[in-house]
């Protein structure tokens, strides 16, 4: 369908705004592999400033920024302590093993929030076990439903990392959504981590890219891993220009995305869908229903796109290009046959 009522498959489906397209057309560019693209440098510096870090490095995707961070922090044969359902494992195609030679050590994470004591207990010291190389968190937690880790939990897990002498990484694909939900500057979340992956093409609406932030020394090392993974993009300022606009304009729109998400979740629940409303904290909804793929296909024929992420699981994601009118139309389609 060329013009659906609403595309709720992901917040990655947004298209560049007129402001983004204008910025892309007029972007000053250079060779970013040599560090000479002024627009990329502007973006990297601004993401670092906003997150309370020293430096940043622009990459094509959040999977790349996450995997570069893992490579930076670990040695082959080590474990990465992470919450169950983490994106770095579920949707990054085994790259922590393939590229860095490390494996995950999962901890339980009800509503996407791991218990700091469980994190501490997951750290391995025995010579008979793989040593722990890194602790990684995800905020918001995609698979748990876009849930937010409380600041106090983050502080406690950073204390565990410090006590164990381990680095702490954040998969912050939607960290600006977390900041909007907590009503705090994003740095209040990100300052607790040694490295942070910040995605610009999800909640913020840029067409391409993520930035990894950390110390200047860490980003120098990250530059090598980015090149190994094929992430040197040369005149990437054309892409970075749109990301600068997204970074400037996107955060202010997130609370409206969250409001609409809650409106949709309530409508689905009232129509009989199995939705855990406690997990609906930002811009993601998971609903449990039989024959998910078949149901998603029927909705698509009526102009509403969603994602079947399992035999009985459907995900809906709101974004700034789904307004109130589109939402009302989507609710009509989704609840009409229930």
């Amino acid at each position: 369908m060329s013009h659906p009522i609403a595309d709720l498959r992901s917040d990655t489906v947004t298209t560049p705004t007129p402001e983004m397209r204008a910025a892309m057309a007029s972007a000053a560019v250079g060779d970013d592999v040599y560090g000479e693209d002024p627009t990329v440098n502007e973006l990297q510096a601004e993401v670092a400033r906003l997150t309370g870090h020293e430096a940043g490095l622009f990459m094509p995707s959040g999977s790349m920024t996450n995997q570069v961070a893992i490579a930076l922090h670990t040695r082959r044969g080590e474990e990465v302590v992470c919450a169950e359902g983490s994106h770095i494992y579920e949707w990054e195609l085994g790259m922590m093993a393939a590229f860095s030679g490390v494996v995950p050590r999962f901890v339980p994470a009800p509503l996407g929030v791991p218990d700091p004591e469980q994190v501490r207990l997951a750290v391995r010291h025995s010579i008979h076990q793989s040593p722990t190389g890194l602790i990684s968190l995800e905020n918001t937690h995609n698979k748990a439903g876009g849930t937010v880790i409380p600041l106090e939990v983050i502080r406690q897990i950073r204390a565990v990392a410090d006590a164990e002498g381990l680095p702490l990484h954040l998969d912050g694909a939607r960290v600006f959504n977390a900041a909007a939900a907590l009503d705090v500057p994003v740095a209040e979340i990100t300052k607790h981590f040694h490295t942070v992956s910040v995605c610009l093409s999800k909640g913020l609406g840029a067409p391409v890219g993520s930035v990894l932030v950390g110390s200047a020394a860490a980003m120098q090392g990250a530059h090598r891993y980015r090149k190994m993974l094929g992430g040197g993009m040369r005149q990437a300022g054309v892409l970075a220009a749109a990301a600068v606009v997204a970074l400037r304009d996107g955060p202010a729109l997130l609370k409206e995305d969250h409001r609409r998400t809650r409106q949709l979740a309530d409508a689905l629940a009232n129509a009989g869908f199995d939705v855990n409303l406690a997990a609906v904290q930002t811009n993601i909804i998971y609903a449990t229903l039989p024959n998910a793929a078949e149901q998603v296909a029927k909705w698509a024929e009526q102009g509403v796109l969603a994602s079947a992420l399992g035999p009985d699981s459907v995900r809906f994601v709101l974004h700034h290009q789904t307004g109130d009118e589109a939402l009302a139309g989507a609710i009509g389609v989704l609840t009409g046959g229930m």
Side-chain angles (χ1 to χ4, degrees), residues 296-316:
V296 165
K298 290 179 180 178
W299 290 329
E301 292 175 357
Q302 299 174 72
V304 178
L305 306 181
S307 294
L309 295 181
D312 62 352
S313 179
V314 174
R315 188 184 72 171
F316 307 91

Side-chain angles (χ1 to χ4, degrees), residues 113-114 116 137-139 148-161 168 170 175 178 182 186 188-193:
V113 181
L137 301 180
E138 183 180 337
N139 195 17
V148 180
I149 303 177
L151 290 174
E152 181 55 32
V153 172
I154 294 173
R155 284 190 284 265
Q156 291 176 22
I157 293 176
R158 175 57 192 262
V160 170
L168 182 63
L170 176 64
V175 69
L182 293 172
V186 71
E188 287 300 305
I189 297 171
T190 54
K191 68 182 182 182
H192 299 286
F193 297 84

Side-chain angles (χ1 to χ4, degrees), residues 18 20 44-45 60 64 71 96 155 205 217-218 223 226 243 245 250 253 300 331:
M20 290 178 190
Q44 291 171 165
M64 187 178 288
M96 69 167 70
R155 284 190 284 265
H223 196 282
R226 183 185 72 173
V245 175
L253 305 175
I331 288 173

Side-chain angles (χ1 to χ4, degrees), residues 27-99:
V29 298
D31 192 324
D32 179 51
V33 175
Y34 293 124
E36 296 174 355
D37 190 301
T39 309
V40 170
N41 291 341
E42 175 192 353
L43 172 65
Q44 291 171 165
E46 181 62 6
V47 177
R49 183 189 70 82
L50 288 171
T51 56
H53 286 270
E54 190 176 15
L57 191 64
F58 184 46
M59 302 188 206
S61 71
S63 291
M64 187 178 288
T65 45
N66 279 331
Q67 294 304 320
V68 166
I70 291 170
L72 270 174
H73 292 306
T74 62
R75 296 180 301 174
R76 301 187 74 81
E78 291 185 332
E79 292 186 345
V80 176
V81 174
C82 55
E84 58 187 1
S86 291
H87 191 282
I88 59 170
Y89 174 76
E90 295 284 347
W91 286 308
E92 296 185 17
L93 290 87
M95 269 297 285
M96 69 167 70
F99 187 63

Side-chain angles (χ1 to χ4, degrees), residues 2-293:
S2 57
H3 296 288
I5 295 169
D7 190 340
L8 306 178
R9 291 172 298 169
S10 176
D11 44 4
T12 61
V13 301
T14 56
T15 55
T17 63
E19 294 81 5
M20 290 178 190
R21 293 184 184 274
M24 294 169 80
S26 61
V29 298
D31 192 324
D32 179 51
V33 175
Y34 293 124
E36 296 174 355
D37 190 301
T39 309
V40 170
N41 291 341
E42 175 192 353
L43 172 65
Q44 291 171 165
E46 181 62 6
V47 177
R49 183 189 70 82
L50 288 171
T51 56
H53 286 270
E54 190 176 15
L57 191 64
F58 184 46
M59 302 188 206
S61 71
S63 291
M64 187 178 288
T65 45
N66 279 331
Q67 294 304 320
V68 166
I70 291 170
L72 270 174
H73 292 306
T74 62
R75 296 180 301 174
R76 301 187 74 81
E78 291 185 332
E79 292 186 345
V80 176
V81 174
C82 55
E84 58 187 1
S86 291
H87 191 282
I88 59 170
Y89 174 76
E90 295 284 347
W91 286 308
E92 296 185 17
L93 290 87
M95 269 297 285
M96 69 167 70
F99 187 63
S100 297
V102 297
V103 293
R105 169 72 66 177
F106 297 114
V107 294
L111 291 179
V113 181
D115 179 82
E117 178 62 12
Q118 290 293 319
V119 173
R120 186 187 69 79
L121 292 173
V123 176
R124 303 301 173 193
H125 297 287
S126 171
I127 62 169
H128 304 292
Q129 294 177 296
S130 301
T132 305
L134 173 67
I135 299 170
S136 180
L137 301 180
E138 183 180 337
N139 195 17
T140 63
H141 192 297
N142 181 339
K143 199 171 184 184
T147 53
V148 180
I149 303 177
L151 290 174
E152 181 55 32
V153 172
I154 294 173
R155 284 190 284 265
Q156 291 176 22
I157 293 176
R158 175 57 192 262
V160 170
D162 288 345
E164 297 289 350
L166 293 171
L168 182 63
H169 172 67
L170 176 64
D171 176 357
R174 295 180 177 87
V175 69
F176 280 90
N177 290 86
L182 293 172
D183 200 23
V184 298
V186 71
E188 287 300 305
I189 297 171
T190 54
K191 68 182 182 182
H192 299 286
F193 297 84
H194 295 93
T195 52
V196 181
S197 167
V198 179
C199 188
L200 302 162
S201 63
K202 291 192 170 73
L204 299 183
V208 175
S210 293
V211 174
L212 182 68
V213 295
S215 68
M219 292 308 99
Q220 186 174 3
H223 196 282
R224 170 174 169 258
Y225 288 118
R226 183 185 72 173
K227 193 73 168 13
M228 291 174 70
L229 289 168
M233 296 188 288
R234 306 300 177 183
Q235 288 73 33
V238 175
L239 298 174
V244 169
V245 175
L247 197 62
R248 180 193 71 202
D249 298 343
L253 305 175
L254 295 176
K255 288 190 176 182
E256 281 296 283
D257 292 346
H258 297 176
R259 175 186 65 78
R260 294 187 183 103
T261 304
R262 171 54 64 167
Q263 183 179 340
L264 175 57
D266 287 341
L268 293 174
N270 290 336
F273 282 74
D274 182 2
V275 177
N276 180 3
L277 293 177
V280 182
Q281 300 174 12
T282 54
N283 69 322
I284 299 175
I285 303 166
Y286 280 88
T288 302
L289 72 165
N291 304 314

